[in-house]
Amino acid sequence: MPTDPADAAAAAVDADEVLAIAQALIRARSENPGTTEDAAAEVVTGVLLAIGASPETVRGEAGRPSVLATIGRTGGPTLAWNGHLDTVPAGTLDTWSVDPFAGDVVDGRLIGRGACDMKGPVAAALAGAAAVVKAGMELAGSLTFHLVADEELAGTHGTQVLRDRGLLTHDAAIVGEPSNLEIALAERGGAWVTATTYGAAAHGSQPHRGVNAITAMARFLLRLHEVVPDTVHPLCGRATVNAALIDGGSAPNMVPDRCVVDIDRRTIPGETDPDTVLAPFEVLADELRTDDATFDLRTEIREWILASETPADTPIAEAIRSATAAETGSTPPDVGFTGITDARFYLNDAAIPTVIFGPGDLSVAHTADEWIDVEEMVTGARTYARIFASFLGA
Ligand SMILES: [Zn+2]
């Protein structure tokens, strides 16, 4: 029996249990949009009860379940571990080589919707906590699970509910999204920009009498990349822009007088002012108007999500770094997370140092045949067990 508490916790991880929990979660469909997280909530509730925790289900106005449970004792350091129970829809079933809800393992990979994003990581964290309990460890602090609904559609019915109820009060948080067991200290934000060009309607047989709003939009979109500043964030790289949705015109025989495009402008930490992000759109519109006086484009930010960042030397990052080094023999790099996660609620709204850290590769999230390497998932469980034992002072 190892004498170091972190070694003892890691040694107590049951690899079969990690896989069994992940498979049970994949079989508990929770597509968002599509269905609720109730079946998945039942699975995690069962696991938490089995390790002696007292899980409770918190539901917002929409009735979607988030499961909360705490192990350890009050008075010491507090750590929240957040993972979402929902997944994106499976998509077209015949693009999968297996049933996305069967939990099949093929060549060491667990395949299924949510395998890496993020039922596999949830299973790893639960098994890590189970190992801490099984090793008979007395934590000096407490670990609280926030196993939430609705992350895939902005968290309104999940982590946001916990925030609104004042439940984000911890010393530190881990959001267990798949990060390849690298330490994601920063995540990008987003500005959803609606751009509208205005023209003048005319008979389609006499286009010279009108102003074509679609053609105007085309000229704008071909130069859209110019709205992204050259600034490079050390972890997140450059900001990006993507024209995502387009709508324009009224009939095939008319000159269109209006065209609307929804633009997904992803921001990097440091981009804190929506007006500054929007300014280059206006500069580009002015240039196009100089070339052609009929050019008329208006932009507005429909939704704004602030990018977030935690200092590299925050204690939870240090704890993750040494736990991973002890488990894998190498220190993981600090990285940026390209997507938007629930970490922003902890970091931006509650000023809690938060790290995104979990097994699995984000590049296979939301794809057909989404998978997680079973061995990496088990390494994740052992690493979580070490983190819980060391950060919470076993
Ligand atoms: Zn996710």
Side-chain angles (χ1 to χ4, degrees), residues 83-84 86-88 116-119 151-152 175-178 337 340-342 362 365-366 370:
H84 60 88
D86 62 321
T87 68
V88 295
C116 89
D117 186 13
M118 55 172 290
K119 291 177 167 180
E151 190 275 343
E152 294 292 358
V175 171
E177 294 276 0
F337 204 77
I340 293 170
T341 76
D342 279 353
L362 189 71
H366 303 196
E370 175 182 347

Side-chain angles (χ1 to χ4, degrees), residues 4 98 101 131 231 244 306 317 320 332 347:
D4 177 69
V98 298
F101 302 106
T231 320
L306 193 63
I320 294 172
L347 201 46

Side-chain angles (χ1 to χ4, degrees), residues 48-308:
L48 289 160
L49 284 171
I51 64 172
S54 307
E56 55 163 327
T57 303
V58 171
R59 295 177 193 268
E61 271 173 27
R64 304 267 291 275
S66 294
V67 178
L68 277 56
T70 299
I71 62 169
R73 71 172 94 158
T74 51
T78 57
L79 174 66
W81 191 94
N82 174 294
H84 60 88
L85 298 175
D86 62 321
T87 68
V88 295
T92 311
L93 292 187
D94 60 16
T95 59
W96 288 73
S97 65
V98 298
D99 176 351
F101 302 106
D104 288 345
V105 176
V106 181
D107 295 335
R109 290 175 171 184
L110 171 63
I111 305 177
R113 178 51 85 225
C116 89
D117 186 13
M118 55 172 290
K119 291 177 167 180
V122 168
L126 288 171
V132 169
V133 172
K134 220 179 309 167
M137 216 159 274
E138 297 257 334
L139 295 177
S142 64
L143 165 67
T144 300
F145 280 101
H146 291 166
L147 304 174
V148 300
D150 195 38
E151 190 275 343
E152 294 292 358
L153 292 181
T156 315
H157 305 300
T159 303
Q160 189 174 309
V161 175
L162 308 190
R163 179 201 68 185
D164 293 346
R165 296 195 184 174
L167 296 171
L168 310 187
T169 58
H170 303 78
D171 297 332
I174 296 173
V175 171
E177 294 276 0
S179 71
N180 290 312
L181 297 176
E182 295 176 346
I183 299 177
L185 295 169
E187 74 171 37
R188 301 199 302 169
W192 315 144
V193 179
T194 302
T196 308
T197 47
Y198 296 90
H203 197 283
S205 67
Q206 297 177 315
H208 58 282
R209 293 190 184 277
V211 176
N212 190 313
I214 291 179
T215 311
M217 181 61 83
R219 300 212 315 275
F220 176 72
L221 292 180
L222 287 173
R223 292 181 58 183
L224 186 61
H225 57 275
E226 295 176 23
V227 305
V228 179
D230 292 329
T231 320
V232 175
H233 182 271
L235 300 179
C236 293
R238 262 188 87 187
T240 56
V241 69
N242 177 49
L245 268 176
I246 188 161
D247 180 42
S250 309
N253 57 351
M254 286 176 69
V255 173
D257 61 0
R258 191 169 157 276
C259 181
V260 185
V261 171
D262 286 325
I263 295 165
D264 177 357
R265 163 73 162 83
R266 296 296 171 110
T267 59
I268 56 176
E271 291 191 301
T272 54
D273 176 29
D275 289 337
T276 307
V277 167
L278 206 50
F281 288 76
E282 308 294 345
V283 170
L284 176 55
D286 285 345
E287 284 181 31
L288 290 163
R289 200 172 300 118
T290 309
D291 297 344
D292 175 356
T294 68
F295 184 83
D296 182 7
L297 176 125
R298 286 165 232 177
T299 51
E300 62 165 337
I301 292 185
R302 204 158 40 79
E303 193 161 344
W304 170 263
I305 294 172
L306 193 63
S308 54

Side-chain angles (χ1 to χ4, degrees), residues 21-32:
I21 298 170
Q23 287 175 315
L25 279 169
I26 287 172
R27 290 165 190 153
R29 284 174 79 146
S30 52
E31 294 165 284
N32 182 20

